[in-house]
Structures are given as C-alpha cells and as structure tokens.
Amino acid sequence: MPTANELRQSFLDYFHRNGHAIVPSASLIPQADPTLLFTNAGMVQFKGVFLGDEQREYTRAVSSQKCIRAGGKHNDLENVGYTGRHHTFFEMLGNFSFGDYFKEEAIHFGWQYLTEVMNLPKDRLWVTIFREDDEAAALWEKIGVPPSRIMRCGEKDNFWQMAETGPCGPCSEIHYDQGPSVPGDAVPNGAGDRVMELWNLVFMQYHRNALGQLDPLPKPSIDTGMGLERLAAVVQGKLSNYDSDLFRPIIRAIEEVAGRCYGASPEEDRAMRVIADHLRAISFMIADGILPSNEGRGYVLRRILRRAGRYGRLLGLGVEGPFMYRLTDSVINEMKTAYPELERTRTTIHHVTQAEEERFIDTLDKGLRMLDEIVAQVKRNKQSVIPGEALFKLYDTYGFPLDLAADSARDQGLALDEAGFQGALQEQRERARKSAGFEAAKTKPVYTEASRIAPPTEFLGYERFESQATIQAIIKQDRLATDAVEGDEVEVVLNRTPFYAEGGGQVGDQGVLTGPEGTIEVRQTIKPVPDLFVHQGVVLRGRMRQGELVHASLNVPLRLAAARNHTGTHLLHAALREVLGPHVKQYGSLVAPVRLRFDFAHFSPARPSQLEEVEALVNERIRMNDQVGTKTMGITEAVQEGALAFFGDKYGDRVRVVEIDAFSKELCGGTHCRQTGEIGLFKLVSETGVAAGVRRVEGQTGEGAYELLKQRETDLRVLAELFKTNPPDVLAKARKLVAQLKEKEQELEKLKARLASGGGDGTGETRTIAGVTVHARRVDGLEINDLRRLADTVRDRLKSGVIVLGTVKDGKASLLLAVTQDLAERFPAGELIKPLATAIGGTGGGRPEMAQAGGKQTDRIDMALAQVFTEVERKAKA
C-alpha cells in the first residue's frame, strides 16, 4: 500500500515522464494575486501565465501545492473535525498546460493515472461534465467510460472561472464511489459522502468580458486539482482522510499527550481530528512567515491555533497547559522531506505556538467565565440566541474570538446573533475612526486632472542624477496653472525625471529645477497616481512656465545617503532572517538620508547578543564589497528564484529585483549602492516593540553611523570628566560608583527601619491631654510611606492615642496624623490635621483614622507639630 509521500512523488513522476516541468510549491502567501488571503489552489502561482502576462520556459507543469482554506471566500474551518474530508490545510496535486495540450490529453492523463498507475477500479469512478460540453462527453466515452457513468451538470458544479471577468471554461470532475457502507446518494453531487469528488479538470477555453460574454481564447489551457489527502484515503482503502498515513502519526502523538485513544468516543475523536488538521495548518503557516495577530492572515492563524487549543483543553480531551507546540514535531517529522522549510523553522514553530497557547489560556480562562454567565442569563430568559452586544463585550474585553463562542453555543444548543455582533464591531470601528480623526486618503482631483494632460513620467534616476525635461503641468493651490513666480509653492510634473518619488519606504528626492527664467527648489517628490511624478517645492527666483525645457538636478549627497540606507536595509533584513529565523519578514520601513527604520515580524524582543550578531553580519557583507545587481522579470518568476516580496504591497506584472550576491534578493523599486562597500559602516541604534508580534530596529549607515560614533565618543569623554577619570576607565569607575550607591541605599533603608521602630535621632514629645496620649515627632528625610510605617509602629506601642509625625525632604514639609480606632470618632484625624496644614502653608485631609498634609513652609514644621496638643485639648472640651 503506497504511502502519501510515495503518492505525491508518483504523481509528480508520472507527469514529468509526460513532459511536464516539476514546479515547487509556492508560498501560502500569494505573491501574484493580492486579492487572495492564502494560496488556495495549485493554479494561483500560474495566474500570470494563464492571463498571458507572464512567460515561462515550459508550457506544461506539475506541482504539489500547499494550500489553506480557512479565510475569505474559501473557508472550510467550521466543517473541520465534523467530516472526514474537510481541512484547513491540504496539498493540491495538479497538472497544467499553458496553451499546449487541451481536453483530450487532460482526460487521457487523468484516467490513465487513476486506473493504470493507482489501479483504482473503473467501475467505481464517475465523471461529471458541463451540460453543454459535448466534446468532453465524447472524449470520456472514447477512453472507455460508459455513458451511464457520465453526468451532465450546470454552471454551479461544472463551470469554472478565475474571477468575474477573465479566463474561464467548463470543467470535468472525476468522482469515486466509496461503496454502500458510506451514507449518501450513489451518484455524484448528491447528499452524503458516498460518491466523493476526487479530481477536477478545468478546460480554460474562454475569456469572459465585462458584458459577461464568452470569447474563445487563442490558446486554451488546462488547470487541474486533486487533493492528496483524498487520494491517499482512497488508495489506502480508508473512508476518512484522517485514517490515512498523512494523519495517523499526528493522531498517535495527540493520543499520547491526551492519554486518550482515538475511536473511544465521538467527542474525543472529533477533538483529535480538529487538532490534527489544525497542527498541519499552524506549522505550515508559521514556516511561511505568518505570525498570530489581530488582522489578516495572522488573525486566521490565531483563530486556528486557538480553536485547536480549545478542543484540546475543553471539548473532549481535557489537556492542561500548552501542548500543541510539542505536537508540531509530529507534523514536521512526517513532512520535512517534501517541505524542508518545516525543518528549517522548527524552533520558530515551537516558540510561536507555545507563546500563543500561553496567551490564549489566559484569555480562555477569563472569557469562559464571562461566557458561562452570558449563557446562563440567556437560558434564564428562555431565549435561544446569544445577543450580539454580549458577544461583542466578550470579544472587546477579553479578545474572545467569535468562532470559539459559536462552538460553545452550538454545544449548548444556542445560536449567535452574529449580525448584532458585527453591528457593534462596526460601531466601535467608526468611533475609533472618528476619535482618531482618520479619513481614508483620497487622491486629489487635480492629480487625476494632471494625469490626463501629462504622459506617464519616464524615470531616469537609476542611472542618472540630472537630465533635461519639459514641464508638463504646474499645480498651485490644488489647481492647474500655466506659470509660477518667485515665492509660489508649486507642484511640477515633468515628462522625464531623475528624481525618485517617495515609495517602498524610501523618501522622495530633493534638488533643483532650473529653467530659462527661473529656479524651483524641489523639497519632496511623490507619485500620487501611477506613473505621475510630482515635484513639490518653491520658486526661488524668476518665473517658470508650462511647456518650458528645464534642467533637473538632484541633491546628490542626500540621494547617495538614502541609497546607503536602502542597501543597508536589505542587508539588515537578510541578517535578521539568518540570525532570528526565516519567519522574519518586513512589515514596514523608512529609508531616509539620515537614518533607516525597519519593522519586522518576530515573536519576542531580540536578545543583545542576537543584535550584535546581526550588526556584525551586515558589516561583514559591507567589507566584502558585494555587487548590488538589479534585473526586471515577472513577479512569479522572481519569487520562484527566491526574491522576497513584501506581502500586501502591490506589484505590477513586471518587477525589479535587487540582488546582493547570494545573501539578499528582494523585489524593490528603490535606489541603491552599486557595491555594498559604498555603505561604509552600519550601526544599529535601537530595537523596540511596536505591536504584538512586530519589532522595530533603527539604524544608520555611512556618514550618519560615523557621526553617531563621534557623538558617543564625545559622551564618553563628558562622562569621564564627570567621573574624574580617563575614558578607558569610565566603565570601571561607573561600576565602583554603582556599588557605593547601592551600599548607601542599604544604609538608608536600615536607617529608615530604625527610625520606624522608634530609634534614631528623630525628636519627639509625648503628653497626656484630657486623658488622651498625644505623641508628636519630627523625623526628617523620610517619604510619606515611611511616615505611615512609623505611625503604625507608634500606634501599636501606644494602644490608644493620637500620633502626628513631621518630615522635611526635598524642600517640602509633610505631616501624617494617625488616631487609634477607639478615639477616631472623638478626634477625627481629617479634622485635626487641617489647622496643622495651615501652619506649614498647605492643605490636608483624610479619614478619621489617618490623614496627611503637605506645605512649603518647612521652617514652621515644629510649630505645626506642637499645635497638635492644643487641637486635641480644644476638641476634648468641645
């Protein structure tokens, strides 16, 4: 019986023998399609090829693509665990033709592989086709499928399209009858799981235009997909994917951790299936650089991880404490041969999973108590729906995910008011938006107007620092103008420019535009709409007119400084990935002439030793004087070659790749050094956290790094002067002073303790007034908390009485008055202290048993302390 690993390789080998290039799995994060949350099919990485925007060196391909379906349009999350064939993570086996072969060959390959290579019985296979696809019907009959086992279906089941417009076409699905022991209809697309879809062959032969019309494609293509999990179950004779060898080792590991046996109870089995599935998704998502967060892909990972944790902790298994991080080894060990990135990121997968589990346990404990109260209230009210407001409060207060509340509600036989929850969530977002004064940035109409009259700006700045150019448009006060004069703040559009427009984290260039009659100082360059470079500045002299020829010249030192920081940022990114792990990815950056800032995904603060290693590695690459090369290619090709794309950024069909030897390769449109040696020096300045799972480092290169070191050298000299020593001896002297200071602090604490116990040099007087013991004492240099401790000590000793303590510290007088409980009603401390406070030029108050006061007249504190006797006597006679 073939293993899943053998089946995967068998599929790749079969199509390779038939002229297909074996293409490695793309990342779970789609590089070629920003509309997708995750790679959810094998064709995603070939989208540009299918659309005709990208050329490959092959016209036939085969792959085993890792996929996630747990967010966005394709979401199987809620079904996982309840069926034997739904998964969040799965592998899609697929063969593809880019204008090479078409229906006949695709049908032949599919049938031959299943019946001759996999030896599946032909009488258990069904075929569905699009109702109007007579060609496919004839081809299936020609290959030997009886007409009685060919079903025609509508668009819902057998017509596929990439989007509302674009490539599309009929598809043909191969289904497998699992036999009468499995509940369900004995025909495809019926109820139950008896007849299961196994392989989908898509015949992309049309282009759907904006009017919905179908136009024939000049080169029809093939896109197929078959889940490895389903194929393994069928070939291995299993009725559930979870019984195949893809899942059994993971389930055995879960059994050991939980101390339970799979097959013992439906609830425990479901919990193990959920955990087994989710462990695969968790491991692969983290390996591809996704970290838990509250939005986007990170939020999906958080949901999956917490859902698995809840099933392990509460729903069936009762596992205490973090456990999943250990179980990820079962996934890594089984799949690292096919996906070596799992082994490379093993430690990262452990750390991230454990940290999120620990965070969730705290959330779960608090949130579940609140959810139990909500459920109890709903049941007391004899309702069947948990209100949306209550769910939102649970989410807002404890970060308790809605899907976990849904699982719990389902167990209690209750439904959720999801519409109410979403309404409350939207209201909160609106409040936050208004309170922050945030409005979505809109392109100024004048920029759109300028783009209509000006052709796309030709950018010359990669090779040149200056050029001749023609003024295409002048903007003053958000309106188009024909000219500008001295003192005018203007925005100028040129037909060609060496000025880099702000983008990709790099600030825009500065410089000068010189015309026949005037000069403009350019202070910033932006690109508000695609291909329109706008030079913002002020007219320094004369007049500038639309249509004039000008000389555009950069501020070269600023450009070169920015280039050093930009190339330094690429080296920094690569070094962080090497030292901290391949999960590190850019979340944002700033590249300016004076500094660089780099935000990246990482789950904990970097240790000082790690930062030192990163800095040393960057400087090593600088000393090696590596060449910084650039080339332009298709985005998918670039990513397949190992170029890092910053996901969330928008890329065109053709992208610019910046490569530094074999150390760094990124998609980047910025300006760079020609050799790393031009950077000169790199210095890390700081490392901080900016959000959950996001760290920030700041640094400087070249002249900026040199100036930083000079400043630190100056600071060291000043410290040496303050410490009255030489710069090389500052550290030793500082350590000596710190040790002495610690000694003095210990002595001070001992002195305070002695004073608090009644010893020391503090002066005091005790009298009996009208039968009441009154103690007044001055103890300078104490904090108010020290006075409280001393008052407690004196009060315990007196048993009954009035105590007032005074201190002078840092130019301020403070009083504390305490009254034992038996006297507090007759002599309330809050009243007694007020005239004493007036005596020191301040105010005071408090409770009947204790009050305090403060003032600036420190020379009158003794008089204030003596006054307590008078006040007690007056109160006793009242």
Side-chain angles (χ1 to χ4, degrees):
M1 182 185 299
T3 65
N5 285 332
E6 291 169 342
L7 290 174
R8 185 192 301 109
Q9 194 59 49
S10 160
F11 184 86
L12 297 174
D13 290 344
Y14 168 80
F15 281 98
H16 187 57
R17 289 195 302 272
N18 285 281
H20 293 67
I22 299 177
V23 181
S25 172
S27 167
L28 287 171
I29 307 171
Q31 292 91 25
D33 190 347
T35 66
L36 290 177
L37 197 62
F38 296 102
T39 297
N40 55 29
M43 61 77 56
V44 171
Q45 69 166 309
F46 302 114
K47 182 177 179 180
V49 185
F50 283 123
L51 290 172
D53 298 331
E54 185 182 344
Q55 298 295 320
R56 299 286 180 93
E57 59 186 13
Y58 45 81
T59 56
R60 299 182 177 193
V62 61
S63 69
S64 179
Q65 174 64 52
K66 52 190 179 184
C67 300
I68 290 284
R69 289 190 179 174
K73 180 180 177 182
H74 301 285
N75 188 357
D76 289 338
L77 183 61
E78 302 306 324
N79 293 317
V80 172
Y82 290 85
T83 75
R85 58 189 176 87
H86 282 97
H87 304 291
T88 52
F89 172 87
F90 66 97
E91 294 178 77
M92 184 174 283
L93 305 172
N95 59 289
F96 308 90
S97 165
F98 311 118
D100 187 333
Y101 62 81
F102 197 47
K103 290 184 186 179
E104 183 169 9
E105 293 90 339
I107 287 171
H108 165 75
F109 289 143
W111 189 254
Q112 184 181 63
Y113 181 75
L114 291 178
T115 60
E116 297 180 23
V117 180
M118 292 292 98
N119 294 315
L120 295 183
K122 296 179 182 180
D123 59 357
R124 283 201 169 196
L125 295 174
W126 283 82
V127 171
T128 63
I129 61 173
F130 182 53
R131 60 178 174 241
E132 300 169 12
D133 196 351
D134 296 332
E135 180 186 5
L139 290 170
W140 281 115
E141 289 182 32
K142 178 182 175 181
I143 211 168
V145 179
S148 60
R149 299 190 76 81
I150 301 174
M151 274 185 63
R152 292 177 182 259
C153 301
E155 288 193 21
K156 177 178 177 292
D157 293 308
N158 282 88
F159 195 93
W160 182 93
Q161 60 188 64
M162 190 179 293
E164 294 299 319
T165 61
C168 59
C171 62
S172 183
E173 295 173 342
I174 305 173
H175 296 251
Y176 182 77
D177 186 347
Q178 300 187 90
S181 62
V182 179
D185 296 338
V187 294
N189 300 327
D193 289 342
R194 174 172 170 173
V195 179
M196 177 180 66
E197 176 195 337
L198 194 58
W199 200 347
N200 186 14
L201 316 179
V202 178
F203 311 130
M204 286 201 285
Q205 63 189 95
Y206 300 110
H207 181 280
R208 191 182 294 276
N209 62 32
L211 299 176
Q213 300 165 333
L214 296 177
D215 301 317
L217 288 172
K219 289 185 177 181
S221 298
I222 292 294
D223 161 28
T224 83
M226 172 168 57
L228 175 62
E229 292 74 13
R230 294 190 184 190
L231 178 65
V234 166
V235 172
Q236 293 172 11
K238 309 297 182 182
L239 299 181
S240 166
N241 295 356
Y242 292 96
D243 291 328
S244 75
D245 73 316
L246 276 168
F247 287 92
R248 284 305 301 164
I250 305 173
I251 290 177
R252 280 196 296 272
I254 297 170
E255 288 176 315
E256 291 178 12
V257 167
R260 310 293 173 93
C261 184
Y262 187 70
S265 79
E267 292 78 13
E268 292 179 0
D269 290 354
R270 182 166 64 243
M272 290 190 192
R273 287 194 295 271
V274 168
I275 295 169
D277 170 89
H278 289 7
L279 280 169
R280 293 186 351 137
I282 291 163
S283 300
F284 275 90
M285 289 169 80
I286 296 172
D288 272 8
I290 299 169
L291 296 179
S293 69
N294 288 327
E295 59 184 15
R297 300 179 184 98
Y299 179 64
V300 175
L301 172 57
R302 175 162 284 169
R303 286 184 66 195
I304 292 172
L305 210 153
R306 292 186 170 192
R307 188 170 189 261
R310 183 167 177 269
Y311 271 91
R313 189 171 168 84
L314 300 174
L315 300 181
L317 301 186
V319 181
E320 293 294 330
F323 67 96
M324 286 185 295
Y325 74 97
R326 288 180 284 146
L327 291 172
T328 57
D329 280 335
S330 63
V331 176
I332 297 168
N333 293 339
E334 289 299 317
M335 304 190 76
K336 65 184 180 182
T337 301
Y339 300 99
E341 65 267 26
L342 291 172
E343 181 61 56
R344 291 196 302 268
T345 57
R346 185 189 292 264
T347 302
T348 300
I349 293 169
H350 285 178
H351 283 324
V352 174
T353 305
Q354 183 178 6
E356 185 63 18
E357 280 190 275
E358 291 170 348
R359 187 180 294 114
F360 176 55
I361 288 170
D362 183 58
T363 294
L364 193 64
D365 289 342
K366 294 174 180 175
L368 281 174
R369 287 194 293 270
M370 186 173 178
L371 181 60
D372 288 342
E373 294 172 8
I374 293 170
V375 168
Q377 184 62 45
V378 168
K379 289 186 173 181
R380 280 196 298 272
N381 295 340
K382 297 183 178 179
Q383 297 170 333
S384 59
V385 179
I386 300 178
E389 276 192 26
L391 292 167
F392 177 72
K393 184 179 179 183
L394 183 66
Y395 168 82
D396 195 40
T397 305
Y398 296 113
F400 199 83
L402 184 66
D403 57 301
L404 294 191
D407 284 339
S408 185
R410 178 161 53 184
D411 296 339
Q412 298 279 348
L414 300 174
L416 302 185
D417 174 19
E418 292 196 33
F421 172 86
Q422 294 297 338
L425 181 60
Q426 187 57 41
E427 285 179 14
Q428 188 208 49
R429 287 173 176 163
E430 185 65 20
R431 287 193 299 271
R433 183 188 65 80
K434 289 180 178 178
S435 65
F438 174 81
E439 293 290 343
K442 296 180 181 178
T443 300
K444 292 180 182 180
V446 70
Y447 294 143
T448 305
E449 192 177 350
S451 68
R452 293 195 188 104
I453 66 172
T457 308
E458 181 186 0
F459 178 58
L460 309 172
Y462 292 137
E463 296 85 22
R464 300 168 64 178
F465 292 157
E466 55 184 301
S467 71
Q468 298 294 110
T470 302
I471 296 178
Q472 301 291 316
I474 295 176
I475 300 170
K476 290 195 302 185
Q477 298 179 344
D478 292 338
R479 292 188 179 185
L480 289 175
T482 57
D483 66 355
V485 296
E486 186 173 326
D488 284 348
E489 292 186 358
V490 295
E491 296 178 295
V492 176
V493 178
L494 304 176
N495 66 327
R496 57 212 305 257
T497 183
F499 286 73
Y500 179 82
E502 181 177 15
Q506 182 174 333
V507 299
D509 277 334
Q510 301 178 30
V512 175
L513 303 180
T514 305
E517 300 178 25
T519 303
I520 294 176
E521 180 188 9
V522 178
R523 296 173 177 174
Q524 171 65 306
T525 309
I526 63 172
K527 189 160 58 173
V529 295
D531 300 323
L532 188 77
F533 286 59
V534 175
H535 308 75
Q536 300 176 324
V538 62
V539 181
L540 292 182
R541 67 170 187 85
R543 180 186 298 270
M544 304 289 279
R545 292 183 174 88
Q546 183 180 1
E548 282 184 339
L549 189 68
V550 298
H551 184 79
S553 177
L554 300 182
N555 182 322
V556 176
L558 291 182
R559 159 66 83 83
L560 294 178
R564 285 192 288 268
N565 277 328
H566 206 153
T567 304
T569 300
H570 283 222
L571 293 177
L572 172 62
H573 190 185
L576 286 166
R577 288 172 63 85
E578 186 163 320
V579 174
L580 301 181
H583 63 282
V584 167
K585 65 175 182 178
Q586 179 173 331
Y587 266 30
S589 68
L590 170 68
V591 177
V594 295
R595 67 190 179 103
L596 66 87
R597 185 182 72 218
F598 187 78
D599 295 348
F600 61 98
H602 190 52
F603 42 82
S604 62
R607 297 190 302 274
S609 60
Q610 291 175 319
L611 295 176
E612 288 176 8
E613 188 177 351
V614 166
E615 185 177 273
L617 189 53
V618 173
N619 281 299
E620 180 184 347
R621 302 307 304 197
I622 291 171
R623 291 192 298 274
M624 291 174 71
N625 199 27
D626 294 325
Q627 182 177 356
V628 181
T630 62
K631 55 185 175 180
T632 302
M633 61 180 72
I635 183 170
T636 306
E637 180 187 359
V639 173
Q640 283 184 339
E641 286 192 6
L644 295 178
F646 304 133
F647 309 114
D649 284 4
K650 293 182 180 179
Y651 297 102
D653 300 328
R654 306 288 290 172
V655 294
R656 183 169 179 263
V657 178
V658 175
E659 184 172 8
I660 304 172
D661 195 48
F663 187 65
S664 168
K665 185 185 287 188
E666 297 186 10
L667 305 188
C668 179
T671 64
H672 287 271
C673 303
R674 292 161 300 180
Q675 307 278 148
T676 59
E678 295 174 16
I679 297 172
L681 175 67
F682 171 79
K683 195 78 186 78
L684 272 177
V685 177
S686 65
E687 191 268 357
T688 56
V690 293
V694 181
R695 308 297 300 176
R696 169 175 292 174
V697 290
E698 297 198 31
Q700 292 183 307
T701 63
E703 188 177 353
Y706 172 69
E707 291 296 333
L708 176 66
L709 292 178
K710 277 181 61 180
Q711 182 58 51
R712 290 184 175 177
E713 192 176 65
T714 300
D715 293 342
L716 184 61
R717 281 201 304 270
V718 172
L719 280 174
E721 291 173 6
L722 288 173
F723 289 159
K724 293 182 171 41
T725 187
N726 298 314
D729 301 325
V730 164
L731 184 58
K733 187 65 177 285
R735 284 174 174 159
K736 182 178 179 181
L737 289 175
V738 168
Q740 290 174 347
L741 182 61
K742 192 172 183 180
E743 271 183 48
K744 297 299 182 184
E745 287 175 347
Q746 290 172 346
E747 289 177 11
L748 182 59
E749 288 301 316
K750 290 177 183 178
L751 175 61
K752 288 179 178 179
R754 194 163 65 248
L755 290 172
S757 64
D761 300 326
T763 58
E765 182 181 2
T766 304
R767 299 184 196 173
T768 300
I769 308 294
V772 175
T773 301
V774 181
H775 178 81
R777 188 177 186 187
R778 176 175 176 175
V779 193
D780 287 341
L782 297 189
E783 303 284 353
I784 196 71
N785 287 335
D786 300 323
L787 293 182
R788 287 195 186 98
R789 286 193 291 270
L790 179 54
D792 289 341
T793 302
V794 176
R795 185 164 48 188
D796 291 344
R797 191 170 68 244
L798 294 180
K799 308 300 183 187
S800 176
V802 175
I803 304 105
V804 64
L805 304 174
T807 186
V808 174
K809 189 175 189 300
D810 299 330
K812 181 182 175 182
S814 299
L815 297 170
L816 184 119
L817 197 151
V819 181
T820 55
Q821 191 172 4
D822 60 314
L823 300 173
E825 187 174 348
R826 289 177 58 202
F827 304 96
E831 292 183 19
L832 287 178
I833 203 166
K834 288 179 180 178
L836 278 64
T838 302
I840 59 172
T843 58
R847 297 175 287 106
E849 294 181 16
M850 184 168 288
Q852 65 186 61
K856 294 183 178 180
Q857 297 184 20
T858 57
D859 58 326
R860 301 182 65 184
I861 193 165
D862 291 329
M863 183 179 70
L865 289 169
Q867 192 172 342
V868 71
F869 302 112
T870 304
E871 294 302 324
V872 170
E873 186 174 6
R874 181 181 60 78
K875 199 74 176 171
K877 292 178 179 178

